[in-house]
Amino acid sequence: MRGGVCSIRALAPVLLPRWLCGPRACPAHLHGSVRFLSTDSVSAALPARARVVICGGGIVGTSVAYHLAKLGWTEIVLLEQGRLGAGTTRFCAGIVSVAKPLSVESKMADYSIALYERLEEETGVKTGFVRSGSLCLAQNQDRLLSLKRLASRLKVLGVSCNVIKPKDVARLHPLVNIHDLVGALHLPGDSVVSPPDVNHALAVASAAHGVQIYEHTSVNHVVVKKGHVTAVETDRGSIECEYFVNCAGQWAYELGQSGEVKVSVPLHGCEHFYLLTKPLSEPVQNDSPVLIDMDGRIYARAWHGGILSGGFEKNPKPIFTEGRNQLEIQNMQEDWDHFEPMLSALLRRMPGLESCEIQQLVNCPESFTPDMRCLMGETPGIYGYFVLVGMNSSGLSFAGGAGKYLAEWITYGYPSASVWPLDIKRFGNLQSSRTFLRHRVMEVMPLLYELKVPRWDFQTGRQLRTSPLYDRLDTQGARWMEKHGFERAKYFVPAGKDLLALDQSKTFYKPDWFDIVGAEVKCCKEAVCVIDMSSFTKFELTSAGDQALQLLQRLCANDLDVPVGHIVHTGMLNQRGGYENDCSVVRLSKNSFFIISPTDQQVHCWSWIKKHMPSDPQLHLEDVSWKYTALNLIGPRAMDVLSELSYVSMTPEHFPSLFCKEMSVGYANGIRVMSMTHTGEPGFMLYIPIEYALHVYNEVMSVGQKYGIRNAGYYALRSLRIEKFFAFWGQDLDSFTTPLECGREFRVKFDKDTDFLGRDALLRQRVEGVSRRFVMLVLEDHDTELDVWPWWGEPIYRNGELIGVTTSSAYSYTLQRHVCLGFLSPTNTDGSPAAVTADFINRGDYEVDIAGQKFPAKAKLYPFSSLFAQQKRRKDDMELSNFQSK
C-alpha cells in the first residue's frame, strides 16, 4: 500500500476488504459533476396536457426527447423520478464502439458517435468526447476469424476498420502485453465520452427546443382506454397525453406491470463491476485506444491518467428480481472476490498496472434482455405506448441512434431503418416470467464476450413451449434449438454417433452435423421425411358476413377471394409496400380463414392484424397456435403414406398443389391436410388437433417404414428452401422489402380493382423501377472442407465494387455448393440509388466476401418471371376448378 491506497499488486494475491483500500471516490464524480437543468423543476406544477410523456431522464430518455424536438414536436414532457442522469447513465464506462453483433446496432453506435461529437458545439456543454479508437483483441484463430467477419460487415456500413498484427497493437497501445495475441481489429472511429455530460448536453438541447423536464417526479402508471394511451398518473398529478415512452431502464419492467393494462418489458438487472485506478506514474493519454479483450472477458480505457477496466464474468449476479423502488442508483457493495478473475485478466493483459494505485471498485446495475438485444418500439395491443430500454451494457453506444429511430417511429409510424431484431414485438408475455428472466440474464451477460459461432443456442429458459411430440422425438436423437420459446429439432443424430461431441461442436467451418443433415435432405428428395413444424404461428379469422374477407383483401397483397380450399401465399404490406408479414392463408369456408405465419411473427402479426381490424363484434381473430400440431411430410413418397392412412388418392390429379382439405388420417378426424411444404419439394402439411398428434405421428412413421421414412429437422428445411430460392420473413424479407424487389410481383393483385395497403407504393415502384433486387449467389471455387463457410451478412461485390450483402445461406446438397441469398443495391456516381434490371444483374461478375476472403459466385434472379407465374397460377386454378367439379 502507498499513500493509504492499495496497489493492484497487493490485491492480486490477497483480496483486501474494501475499507482498507483508502478513500473512495464519489460515484457522482466518475466522469464529472452530475448537472441538473433547473432548480425549480420540483416545485413547478406539471402541465395538464402534453402530446408525449417520456419516463426516464437518463441518456436514453433525453436522446428520445432531443430527437423528437428536432423533428418539430412540441408539448414534450420528460419525467425523472430522481435527478437527471442519476441512474445507470451516471456509472456508464463512457465507451462508444461500433463493434456490435448486428448491423443495425453498429449503425446506431456510428450515429451516436457523430451526435456526441457535435453536441459540444451545439450546446456549449463539454462532453469529454475523445476519438480514441478501439482495439478488439484476439487470443486465438477462431476469435480472429470472428473479427474478420465483423470487419467485412462494418465496411459495408462505411465504418473504417482494419485487422492488424500483434506488433501493431503494441505500437498503438504500449501497455498491452501481446505475447498471446494472434491479431486484433482496429476501429479508429470509436470514442470515449463523459456520459453524465452527454446526458446534460442532450437535456440542454432538448430544453432549448421546448421540452419540459421535471425531476423528482415518479410515474405511478399509464392510463389506457380502448387500447390507446390517454394519460400518465404521477405522484404529482395527472398529465393527459397521446404518447408515452418508457425509458425507465432498470425499472421499466415494474412500470410496465403497474397499470391495469399490463405491458410486458422483458429485462432483468445484473451487477456490473469495473475498476478505477489512480493516474499512473506515466499517465495514460486520453486518446489511448480502448481495449476490448473478449477472450479475457475485460475492457479497459484511459481515465484521468489511469485506467478504467471492467468486464463480463462467467458467473454474474442478478439483482432486483423481487423489484425495487429505488429512486436513484447508488454504488452497490464492492465484491473483490467476484472481481478477481477480471482483475487477473487485466494484469495479464497490462502487466504494467501491478504497482498502480486503486481508487475504487464500482458496482452498478445494468439491465439485460433475453436475447442480448435492446427493446424498442410500440408495444403490442396499446397504441401510443413506446419502449426504449434493455441496453445490455451498451446504452451509451446505442442511445443516440436508438433515440433517433424511436423518434422517427413515433413521428412517421416507422423508423428509417429496419429494426426488427430490436422490436419489442419479437417477445410476448411468455418471456415475462421473473424466474425465466433471472436465469436467462445469468447466461446473457457472459455471452456478451463469448465466441459465438453461427447457429449457437441459448441453454437457459428452455423447454418452455414444446410440441406434444417432444419426448418422442427426443428419444429418437433430436438435437434442439429454440425459437420464440418453442423447441424445434435441428437434426436427428443416428444411433451410434457421439452426441456430446455434436452438441459441443463450434466452428465457422464445415460443421460436424454436415453428413447428418445431408442424409435428411437426400431422404426428403428421394423418399419421405417428417418435420415437426408445430411452432408456426396459426390464426383463425372468422366473421358472420364477408368482414373477414374484406379485412384480408385490405391487408394482403395477393387475392384472397378464392374458392374454399385454396391456399394463397401472400404478404401483408405496409404503406411503403414493405412486408410486415409473409404468410400462407387458407380459405376454410366462405367466411373463415386459417393464417400461417413464421414462429417469431406471433406477436407482431397479431398486433398488425388487430391494429387494422374494425371494431365489429361479428369479426373474430383467434390465436390457435397451441391447438394444432403441424407435421410436414416432404418427399415423393409422402402421397403414398397419406393414401394408405386415409384411403384417399393423394396424387396431383386428385389433390392439386396449394389445396387444403379436412381428412381422416388413421383414426383421427378433422386433420387439415395441405399440399405444400415450404420447401418447393412435393409433400403435405398436416395440421392436427393436439389430442391426435401422437397417434397421427405414430401411424405416419409406422406406415412410412416401407417407403424409407425418417425424421428431419430445420437444418434440412433451411437447405431445401434456400436452394429453391425461397425467402423467409425476418431473415430475407423485412418491412423495407417490397414484392417487386424480391421477384414476387406475381403475388400482387395488380389486376384486381381492390385497394390494399401498399398498393400505391408498388404502383409507383413499377413505373420508377426497383433500386435493390433479391438474388441467389452460387459460390464457385469454394472448398466446403477447408474454406470458411458463409452464414449471413457477407458483403457482395460486383465487378470489384461493393453492391450488397447476403441475408441467408446454406449448403445445397443437390448442387454440392454453397448458396447465398441477398440483395444487390447499386448506386449512381452521386451516391443515389440506381435502377436494377435483369440485364444489369446478368452482366456482372460477382464475389462474396467471407471473413475477408472473396469467392467468385454466379448470380441468379428469382426463377419465375411474372408471365410464367401468371400462366402457372391460371393452370393451377383450372386444375382446382376441374377437381371441385368432380
Side-chain angles (χ1 to χ4, degrees), residues 497-514:
K497 285 281 185 178
D498 186 345
L499 303 186
L500 184 62
L502 275 170
D503 287 343
Q504 295 179 344
S505 174
K506 294 181 179 181
T507 180
F508 291 101
Y509 293 87
K510 179 183 175 182
D512 289 345
W513 44 256
F514 179 83

Side-chain angles (χ1 to χ4, degrees), residues 8 60 116-117 132 141 168 171 294 388 510 519 553 609:
I8 289 187
V60 173
Y116 302 158
E117 185 174 27
S132 61
Q141 291 298 329
D168 298 315
R171 178 178 54 82
M294 288 181 279
L388 184 55
K510 179 183 175 182
Q553 289 289 68
I609 295 174

Side-chain angles (χ1 to χ4, degrees), residues 597-613:
S597 297
T599 303
D600 54 3
Q601 276 272 283
Q602 186 169 14
V603 177
H604 179 74
C605 183
W606 174 273
S607 178
W608 183 256
I609 295 174
K610 293 292 285 186
K611 181 178 180 179
H612 294 90
M613 274 182 67

